[in-house]
Amino acid sequence: MTPIPGALRARRLAGTATALIGAVVLTACGGAAPVTGDDGRIALTMATVASDSCAQGFFGVDQGIFAAHGIDVTLNVVAGVPELAAAVTSGQANVACSAPTAIASGVSQGLPFTMIAPGIAYTRDNPGSNLVVPAGSPIGDVADLAGTTVAVNALNTLPHLASRAMLQDSGVDPESVTFVNLPFPNIAQAMETGQVQSGLLQSPFTENAEAAGGRKIASPYDFVNGGEPFVYTVWFGTTEFAGQNPEAVAQLREAMAEVSEWANDPANADARRASLAAATGQTAATASTAPLSNYGTELTPELIQSQLDLQVRFGTLPEPVDAATLIATGTS
Amino acid sequence: MTTTTPTRRARPARNGSTVPGWVSAVLPVVLLALWELAGRVGGSVYLPPLSRVLGRFARDWFPDVVVHDLLPSLARFAAGFVLAAAVGIVLGLAIGTFRTLDDYLRPTLEFLRALPAVAILPVAVFVLGLGNAMRIAVIVFGVVFPVLVNATAGARSVRPERVDAARMFGLSRVDIARRVVLPSALPMISAGLRVALPIALIMTVVSELVGGQNGLGFYLTSHQQMFDIPAMFTAVIVLGVLGNLLNAAYSAAEDRVLHWARHA
């Protein structure tokens, strides 16, 4: 290869470096544009995961509820929860579904997130998340968990924090229990092979574990808000998106409330299960037995605050956060 | 032993380049300066200025993160690398020396070698659980094949007349392997170890992504989940510096131990 003269090479290197940095900055600053077209219709890209916890997107599209509210939705299904935040921050999606605790963590780190509409709501009779032990386990109640290993799907998220609150409130030192993070599909096998003694599972993994002889011993979410309802998944976007599109935020909020009412109506259970089965690739048998989540119809600070307080209690938020500051205003 | 006197002819500028050595330091410095500038001017939370990342590093890493995450990672890295090197060298020399062994093992080893090392992670979790045994096994799996392949090739590259001469002197096959084959194969084995070094670091991080309690991989993902971007960058920088330090340390050790090989 012919040697490149030094000056020319230095210039080329500088040019390449500038282009690289420029690309990084441009990517990082991906802006939000208005989503309402000239015809008044709203075009939204929504990122979600294929599970019941964030399934309103599928129901709203399948039932034509978004379209009836003037919103044309493109669904962007991603593999896991971390990708949801990435989809919003990179501008690939206008809104996505995630946990309020994740939003609060992001905001405390300076990320411009704001909550727009509720996802799943906890109720005492439908807690959503259960601590399950395998068949033949000597663990009978929460007090027996001391000295054992518990699997959760992600550390420092609500399942983990709620479990720590449950231990503490039940008189067990949370430090005496080891928590490990494992993907939901791996938790049951980890219990069967004795690597963990219990796992925090959600539907349909809870039902699968029970079918294999597992037992539910507690629902840690009972310890989040004193057994009172709270919303533990939400639809969120960037503050820039919400600021530039207040009408879209208001419209989406109304549409999502209607989706939730439709989904919560027992008369629509079969249609809902069919939508879910198609979206998640579950067999009809699994989809027909899994209990259905209850979706929230409104997003108030009271439905969020207890989770943020739990984050402060266990040190994953550095200082108290007022839930009201995390909810987009929008105009109706 | 002979000494060589460096001359312009004997030691031209690296790779024939006429550019002085300090030029190679310009690009990293420029990139780091641009990072700082982009972080300050852009004001983006996704690209915090370098100074903020370094400040975070100084605040968090000593001694907490070093003790809780860096040292466990280094221990796993060392255990995995040494174990894989031992297995790879012994097996590689044996395969390179004994043709029959090669015939028996080759199809199996070729199959395993073609497996992407990260694909072994879910299997290792089921078989070995979530402890250090699983993590070290994953590192060994990633590291052993480059060492083994080079050790085999090194053993085959031994000149037959050396082996014949050793045999004439009555050395046993094991002695021939130890005293003739191993020294001849060392330069190639060393090249394999050098290739394996960054792989060991990669596999260390990968092994800590699942079911982790500590380690650099665990630190990286747990801070990603909490959107702690400056902390994520500290781990990325540490991994980059660590990779370079390990490589430099290995080169220095190689220069001391294998200096004779260059004149062989």
Side-chain angles (χ1 to χ4, degrees), chain A residues 28 89 102 110-111 178 180-181 189 195, chain B residues 45-46 125-126 129 211-213 227:
Chain A
T89 54
L111 293 184
T178 305
V180 295
N181 65 317
Q189 285 95 336
Q195 295 161 22
Chain B
V45 290
Y46 314 118
V125 168
F126 280 135
Q213 304 273 333
F227 305 105

Side-chain angles (χ1 to χ4, degrees), chain B residues 126-140:
Chain B
F126 280 135
V127 177
L128 296 169
L130 298 169
N132 279 329
M134 175 275 283
R135 295 179 214 288
I136 291 168
V138 167
I139 301 168
V140 168

Side-chain angles (χ1 to χ4, degrees), chain B residues 30-45:
Chain B
V30 168
L31 283 175
L32 292 175
L34 279 175
W35 176 358
E36 177 70 20
L37 190 71
R40 282 173 186 267
V41 175
S44 166
V45 290

Side-chain angles (χ1 to χ4, degrees), chain B residues 81-131:
Chain B
F81 186 76
V82 169
L83 200 59
V87 172
I89 291 170
V90 171
L91 201 57
L93 288 180
I95 290 171
T97 309
F98 304 108
R99 179 62 69 179
T100 321
L101 197 59
D102 186 24
D103 291 340
Y104 276 116
L105 293 180
R106 181 175 283 271
T108 311
L109 291 176
E110 287 296 325
F111 173 79
L112 290 174
R113 189 161 75 97
L115 268 178
V118 289
I120 211 72
L121 183 66
V123 181
V125 168
F126 280 135
V127 177
L128 296 169
L130 298 169

Side-chain angles (χ1 to χ4, degrees), chain A residues 41-42 44 46 55-61 63-73 95 116-118 235 247-263 295-298 331-332:
Chain A
R41 290 194 71 78
I42 297 164
L44 279 185
M46 294 170 62
Q56 288 150 296
F58 301 114
F59 307 147
V61 169
Q63 298 303 316
I65 297 173
F66 293 137
H69 281 259
I71 308 172
D72 299 316
V73 168
V95 293
I116 292 170
W235 293 88
E247 304 86 6
V249 167
Q251 285 286 80
L252 179 61
R253 201 169 266 166
E254 277 180 27
M256 206 59 101
E258 195 179 322
V259 172
S260 295
E261 280 162 13
W262 177 87
Y295 293 101
T297 52
E298 56 173 356
T331 54
S332 44

Side-chain angles (χ1 to χ4, degrees), chain B residues 138-151:
Chain B
V138 167
I139 301 168
V140 168
F141 188 84
V143 169
V144 77
F145 291 106
V147 182
L148 186 145
V149 167
N150 272 39

